[in-house]
Amino acid sequence: MKFFIDTANLDQIREARDLGVLDGVTTNPSLMAKEGISGEANILKHYVDICNIVDGDVSAEVISTDFDGIVAEGKRLHELHENIVVKVPMIKDGVKALKYFSENDIRTNCTLIFSPGQALLAAKAGASYVSPFIGRIDDISSDGMALIESIRTIYDNFGFETEILAASVRHPMHIVECAELGADVATCPLSAILALLKHPLTDIGLEKFLADHAKSN
Ligand code: E4P
């Protein structure tokens, strides 16, 4: 399973890259705003800065919601760097744009996926990735992991090559469960990736090894 980091924060992206397990980055307009990045020129530059840190796919989201606008914006994003993946919302004109992009060799990530039917439609339109938002589904007392399982079944039934990019990851067990269910990618906050490291018995065991070593030297 690939690990992407879900942030526009350059320091966090560098930290995850330096851990040696990072395969890519996802951003969205909220994450860009959180970093204080505004204005088209600054936003485009920030995407290039991210691409220069990570050798992997970087999702950059369109703001337009009409077909012509999504296509024009997507082309501008695509031309920024070979690793850019154009992130398109699951709306009617978004689906049309996914089809257009797939016919023109522009890779896409269909975002805001909350149902198996949406994921099926995105795959039929040729999306490279779909992003089911598991955390936001859990937030409303529903089952985000059931959505991953359902999409996996549908894609395997028909051999769709669209990759399942589990998004809205909140904690390390989301990552583990996504891996068990066969999600292709999890995009995670840095805290969830680092939390995978942690086990109290590891800390206790290491402390004992080091203490025993110190006694015998
Ligand atoms: C990433 O592609 C998504 O935009 C992101 O994971 C959404 O996460 P959130 O639900 O924590 O905002």
Side-chain angles (χ1 to χ4, degrees):
M1 183 172 72
K2 288 183 274 189
F3 278 15
F4 289 179
I5 188 167
D6 193 26
T7 184
N9 182 284
L10 300 183
D11 288 336
Q12 290 189 14
I13 294 169
R14 283 190 200 95
E15 186 175 342
R17 176 205 59 191
D18 291 348
L19 196 58
V21 298
L22 191 63
D23 301 297
V25 180
T26 53
T27 62
N28 63 38
S30 304
L31 293 171
M32 295 293 275
K34 192 173 163 194
E35 298 308 315
I37 315 294
S38 61
E40 191 183 2
N42 290 331
I43 290 172
L44 297 183
K45 180 186 174 304
H46 201 74
Y47 288 136
V48 174
D49 289 344
I50 294 173
C51 289
N52 287 334
I53 296 172
V54 180
D55 184 19
D57 287 348
V58 174
S59 287
E61 188 160 340
V62 299
I63 306 300
S64 305
T65 54
D66 65 292
F67 175 79
D68 290 338
I70 294 171
V71 166
E73 212 182 316
K75 283 180 174 172
R76 279 199 298 281
L77 293 168
H78 168 71
E79 281 161 11
L80 285 176
H81 194 281
E82 61 184 357
N83 289 350
I84 290 283
V85 173
V86 179
K87 206 170 176 192
V88 178
M90 171 39 75
I91 54 176
K92 193 172 177 185
D93 280 31
V95 173
K96 291 182 195 171
L98 290 172
K99 182 70 178 169
Y100 173 89
F101 288 135
S102 80
E103 287 172 350
N104 286 276
D105 293 325
I106 294 177
R107 291 178 311 129
T108 52
N109 172 358
C110 184
T111 190
L112 291 164
I113 295 287
F114 292 95
S115 77
Q118 291 177 320
L120 175 58
L121 202 53
K124 282 193 67 70
S128 315
Y129 294 100
V130 283
S131 288
F133 277 33
I134 55 178
R136 292 194 195 184
I137 294 174
D138 289 355
D139 287 345
I140 59 159
S141 303
S142 197
D143 186 354
M145 225 41 78
L147 176 59
I148 299 291
E149 191 170 18
S150 174
I151 299 172
R152 183 73 282 155
T153 301
I154 290 168
Y155 285 8
D156 289 349
N157 281 348
F158 298 100
F160 284 118
E161 289 179 1
T162 302
E163 292 188 65
I164 302 171
L165 194 173
S168 190
V169 165
R170 301 271 191 260
H171 53 71
M173 284 313 293
H174 268 156
I175 304 175
V176 172
E177 288 171 36
C178 282
E180 288 172 345
L181 292 173
D184 300 285
V185 190
T187 187
C188 320
L190 180 62
S191 57
I193 297 174
L194 295 178
L196 289 173
L197 281 165
K198 290 290 173 194
H199 197 288
L201 292 180
T202 303
D203 297 338
I204 292 167
L206 180 60
E207 199 176 325
K208 176 90 168 57
F209 285 153
L210 295 178
D212 289 344
H213 173 78
K215 270 187 255 165
S216 62
N217 281 283

